[in-house]
Amino acid sequence: MKLSELSTETGVSTASLKYYLRESLLAPGEPVTRTQSEYGPAHVERVRLIRALVDSGGLSLAQVRRVIDALDSPTVPRHELLGVAQEALMEAEKFDEDAEWTALATAFVEQRGWRIEDGDVLLPQLGAQLKALADTCDVGGRETLDRWADAAEIVAASDLDTLTGDDAQALRTAIVGTVLSDKVLQTLRRLAQQNRTAQLYEAARGSDGDSDQ
């Protein structure tokens, strides 16, 4: 198919497709003439992947590039798949590292028995996030954090259960699945909050009705 047909097939403008080509996010097509190239199913799949990562996953093009580089890299050992995924998705988020809160975050994951590498950037990031929470609102302290961690362990187990026997497909699932499922989990959390609020409201109304009798 021509570039214009690739645009129609994917719903992405030719201008965007040309940008992807210039930035090497999309592999060149097969040359047909001096000015035209032929594109195939692999290009359709790659364009849809880029759009999903940007539109649904909320990634920057810099992150998309890291994801694509990881997907196109040689096969990595299976026990390193999620590490490669996390590295590809890591953005240089701006946060003020606080040594005290980093120590608290590190102590928390150690008490949970989580095996985390020393110096992992996620530890000071977690510390900064916990500090921001403590500075701005009351979310229940350690008990709430433990319940969040319990939920995270369930999600992590589900993530690993989805990895197939094929290393290349497993890497794709680890990276793309993590990006897109983050948004699904965020939406499910909000829906669950609405449901829980409705349940508590109905329970409160029932209690008021009983007290009036």
Coordinates of all heavy atoms in Angstrom, one line a residue, residues 36-76:
Q36 N 8.3 6.8 -4.5 CA 7.2 6.0 -3.8 C 7.8 4.8 -3.2 O 8.7 4.2 -3.7 CB 6.1 5.6 -4.8 CG 5.2 6.8 -5.2 CD 4.0 6.3 -6.0 OE1 3.9 5.2 -6.5 NE2 2.9 7.1 -6.0
S37 N 7.1 4.4 -2.1 CA 7.5 3.2 -1.4 C 6.2 2.4 -1.1 O 5.1 3.0 -1.0 CB 8.2 3.5 -0.1 OG 9.5 4.2 -0.3
E38 N 6.4 1.1 -0.8 CA 5.3 0.2 -0.5 C 5.4 -0.1 1.0 O 6.4 -0.4 1.5 CB 5.4 -1.0 -1.4 CG 4.2 -2.0 -1.3 CD 3.0 -1.5 -2.0 OE1 3.2 -0.5 -2.9 OE2 1.9 -2.0 -1.8
Y39 N 4.2 -0.1 1.6 CA 4.1 -0.4 3.0 C 3.2 -1.6 3.2 O 2.2 -1.8 2.4 CB 3.5 0.9 3.8 CG 4.4 2.1 3.6 CD1 4.2 3.0 2.6 CD2 5.5 2.3 4.5 CE1 5.0 4.1 2.4 CE2 6.3 3.4 4.3 CZ 6.1 4.3 3.3 OH 6.9 5.4 3.1
G40 N 3.4 -2.3 4.3 CA 2.7 -3.6 4.5 C 2.1 -3.7 5.9 O 2.1 -2.7 6.6
P41 N 1.6 -4.9 6.2 CA 1.0 -5.1 7.5 C 1.8 -4.7 8.7 O 1.3 -4.3 9.7 CB 0.7 -6.6 7.5 CG 0.6 -7.0 6.0 CD 1.6 -6.1 5.4
A42 N 3.2 -5.0 8.6 CA 4.0 -4.6 9.7 C 4.0 -3.1 10.0 O 4.1 -2.7 11.2 CB 5.5 -5.1 9.4
H43 N 3.9 -2.3 8.9 CA 3.8 -0.9 9.1 C 2.5 -0.5 9.8 O 2.5 0.4 10.6 CB 4.0 -0.2 7.8 CG 5.4 -0.3 7.2 ND1 5.7 -1.3 6.3 CD2 6.5 0.4 7.4 CE1 7.0 -1.2 6.0 NE2 7.5 -0.1 6.6
V44 N 1.4 -1.1 9.4 CA 0.1 -0.9 10.0 C 0.2 -1.2 11.5 O -0.3 -0.4 12.3 CB -1.0 -1.7 9.3 CG1 -2.3 -1.5 10.1 CG2 -1.1 -1.3 7.9
E45 N 0.8 -2.3 11.8 CA 0.9 -2.7 13.2 C 1.7 -1.7 14.0 O 1.4 -1.3 15.1 CB 1.5 -4.1 13.3 CG 1.6 -4.6 14.7 CD 2.2 -6.0 14.8 OE1 2.6 -6.5 13.7 OE2 2.4 -6.5 15.9
R46 N 2.8 -1.3 13.4 CA 3.7 -0.4 14.1 C 3.0 1.0 14.4 O 3.2 1.6 15.4 CB 5.0 -0.2 13.4 CG 6.0 0.8 14.0 CD 6.4 0.5 15.4 NE 6.9 -0.8 15.7 CZ 8.2 -1.1 15.6 NH1 9.1 -0.2 15.2 NH2 8.6 -2.4 15.9
V47 N 2.3 1.5 13.3 CA 1.7 2.8 13.5 C 0.6 2.7 14.6 O 0.5 3.6 15.4 CB 1.0 3.2 12.1 CG1 0.2 4.5 12.3 CG2 2.1 3.5 11.1
R48 N -0.2 1.6 14.6 CA -1.2 1.4 15.6 C -0.6 1.3 17.0 O -1.2 1.8 18.0 CB -2.1 0.2 15.3 CG -3.0 0.4 14.1 CD -3.7 -0.8 13.7 NE -4.7 -0.5 12.6 CZ -5.3 -1.4 11.9 NH1 -5.1 -2.7 12.1 NH2 -6.2 -1.1 11.0
L49 N 0.6 0.7 17.1 CA 1.3 0.6 18.3 C 1.7 2.0 18.8 O 1.5 2.4 20.0 CB 2.5 -0.3 18.2 CG 3.5 -0.3 19.4 CD1 2.8 -0.8 20.7 CD2 4.7 -1.1 19.1
I50 N 2.2 2.8 17.9 CA 2.7 4.2 18.3 C 1.5 5.0 18.8 O 1.5 5.7 19.8 CB 3.3 4.9 17.1 CG1 4.7 4.2 16.7 CG2 3.6 6.3 17.4 CD1 5.3 4.6 15.4
R51 N 0.4 4.9 18.0 CA -0.8 5.7 18.4 C -1.4 5.2 19.8 O -1.8 6.0 20.6 CB -1.9 5.6 17.3 CG -1.5 6.2 16.0 CD -0.8 7.5 16.1 NE -1.5 8.5 16.9 CZ -1.0 9.7 17.3 NH1 0.2 10.0 17.0 NH2 -1.7 10.5 18.0
A52 N -1.4 3.9 20.0 CA -1.9 3.4 21.3 C -1.0 3.9 22.4 O -1.6 4.3 23.5 CB -1.9 1.9 21.2
L53 N 0.3 3.9 22.2 CA 1.2 4.3 23.3 C 1.0 5.8 23.6 O 1.1 6.2 24.7 CB 2.6 4.0 22.9 CG 3.0 2.5 22.8 CD1 4.4 2.3 22.3 CD2 2.9 1.8 24.2
V54 N 0.8 6.6 22.5 CA 0.7 8.0 22.7 C -0.7 8.4 23.2 O -0.9 9.1 24.2 CB 1.0 8.8 21.4 CG1 0.6 10.2 21.5 CG2 2.4 8.6 21.0
D55 N -1.8 7.9 22.5 CA -3.1 8.3 22.8 C -3.7 7.7 24.0 O -4.3 8.3 24.9 CB -4.1 8.0 21.6 CG -3.7 8.8 20.4 OD1 -3.0 9.9 20.5 OD2 -4.1 8.4 19.2
S56 N -3.6 6.3 24.1 CA -4.1 5.6 25.3 C -3.2 5.5 26.4 O -3.6 5.6 27.6 CB -4.6 4.2 24.8 OG -5.6 4.3 23.9
G57 N -1.9 5.4 26.1 CA -0.9 5.2 27.1 C -0.4 6.5 27.7 O 0.2 6.5 28.8
G58 N -0.5 7.6 26.9 CA -0.1 8.9 27.4 C 1.5 9.1 27.4 O 2.0 9.9 28.1
L59 N 2.2 8.3 26.6 CA 3.6 8.4 26.5 C 4.0 9.5 25.6 O 3.3 9.9 24.7 CB 4.2 7.1 26.0 CG 4.0 5.8 26.8 CD1 5.0 4.7 26.2 CD2 4.3 6.0 28.2
S60 N 5.2 10.1 25.9 CA 5.8 11.1 25.0 C 6.5 10.3 23.9 O 6.7 9.1 24.0 CB 6.9 11.9 25.8 OG 8.0 11.0 26.2
L61 N 6.8 11.0 22.8 CA 7.5 10.4 21.7 C 8.9 9.9 22.1 O 9.3 8.9 21.5 CB 7.5 11.3 20.5 CG 6.2 11.5 19.7 CD1 6.4 12.5 18.6 CD2 5.7 10.2 19.2
A62 N 9.5 10.5 23.1 CA 10.8 10.0 23.6 C 10.6 8.7 24.2 O 11.4 7.8 24.0 CB 11.4 11.1 24.5
Q63 N 9.5 8.5 25.0 CA 9.3 7.2 25.6 C 8.9 6.2 24.6 O 9.4 5.0 24.7 CB 8.2 7.3 26.6 CG 8.5 8.0 27.9 CD 7.4 8.2 28.9 OE1 6.4 8.8 28.5 NE2 7.4 7.5 30.0
V64 N 8.1 6.6 23.6 CA 7.8 5.7 22.5 C 9.0 5.2 21.8 O 9.2 4.0 21.5 CB 6.8 6.4 21.5 CG1 6.6 5.5 20.2 CG2 5.5 6.7 22.1
R65 N 10.0 6.1 21.6 CA 11.2 5.6 20.9 C 11.9 4.6 21.8 O 12.5 3.6 21.2 CB 12.2 6.8 20.7 CG 13.5 6.5 20.1 CD 14.4 7.7 20.0 NE 13.8 8.8 19.2 CZ 13.7 8.8 17.9 NH1 14.2 7.8 17.2 NH2 13.2 9.8 17.3
R66 N 12.0 4.8 23.1 CA 12.6 3.8 24.0 C 11.9 2.5 23.9 O 12.5 1.4 23.9 CB 12.7 4.3 25.4 CG 13.7 5.5 25.6 CD 14.1 5.7 27.0 NE 13.0 6.2 27.8 CZ 12.8 7.5 27.9 NH1 13.5 8.4 27.3 NH2 11.8 7.9 28.7
V67 N 10.6 2.5 23.9 CA 9.8 1.3 23.8 C 10.1 0.6 22.5 O 10.4 -0.7 22.5 CB 8.3 1.6 23.9 CG1 7.5 0.4 23.5 CG2 7.9 2.1 25.3
I68 N 10.1 1.3 21.4 CA 10.4 0.7 20.1 C 11.8 0.1 20.1 O 12.0 -1.0 19.5 CB 10.1 1.7 19.0 CG1 8.6 1.9 18.8 CG2 10.7 1.2 17.7 CD1 8.2 3.0 17.9
D69 N 12.8 0.8 20.6 CA 14.1 0.4 20.6 C 14.2 -0.9 21.4 O 15.0 -1.9 21.0 CB 15.1 1.4 21.2 CG 15.3 2.6 20.3 OD1 15.0 2.5 19.1 OD2 15.8 3.6 20.8
A70 N 13.5 -1.0 22.5 CA 13.5 -2.2 23.3 C 12.9 -3.4 22.6 O 13.4 -4.5 22.6 CB 12.8 -2.0 24.7
L71 N 11.7 -3.1 21.9 CA 11.0 -4.2 21.2 C 11.9 -4.7 20.0 O 11.8 -5.9 19.6 CB 9.7 -3.6 20.7 CG 8.6 -3.3 21.7 CD1 7.4 -2.7 21.0 CD2 8.2 -4.6 22.5
D72 N 12.7 -3.8 19.4 CA 13.5 -4.2 18.2 C 14.8 -4.7 18.6 O 15.6 -5.1 17.8 CB 13.6 -3.0 17.3 CG 12.3 -2.6 16.6 OD1 11.4 -3.4 16.6 OD2 12.2 -1.5 16.1
S73 N 15.1 -4.7 19.9 CA 16.4 -5.2 20.4 C 16.5 -6.7 20.4 O 15.4 -7.4 20.4 CB 16.7 -4.6 21.8 OG 15.9 -5.2 22.7
P74 N 17.7 -7.3 20.5 CA 17.8 -8.7 20.6 C 17.1 -9.3 21.8 O 16.9 -8.5 22.8 CB 19.3 -9.0 20.7 CG 19.9 -7.8 20.1 CD 19.0 -6.6 20.4
T75 N 16.7 -10.5 21.8 CA 16.0 -11.1 22.9 C 16.8 -11.0 24.2 O 18.0 -11.3 24.2 CB 15.7 -12.6 22.6 OG1 14.9 -12.7 21.4 CG2 14.9 -13.3 23.7
V76 N 16.1 -10.7 25.2 CA 16.7 -10.6 26.5 C 16.2 -11.7 27.4 O 15.2 -12.3 27.1 CB 16.3 -9.2 27.2 CG1 16.9 -8.1 26.4 CG2 14.8 -9.1 27.4

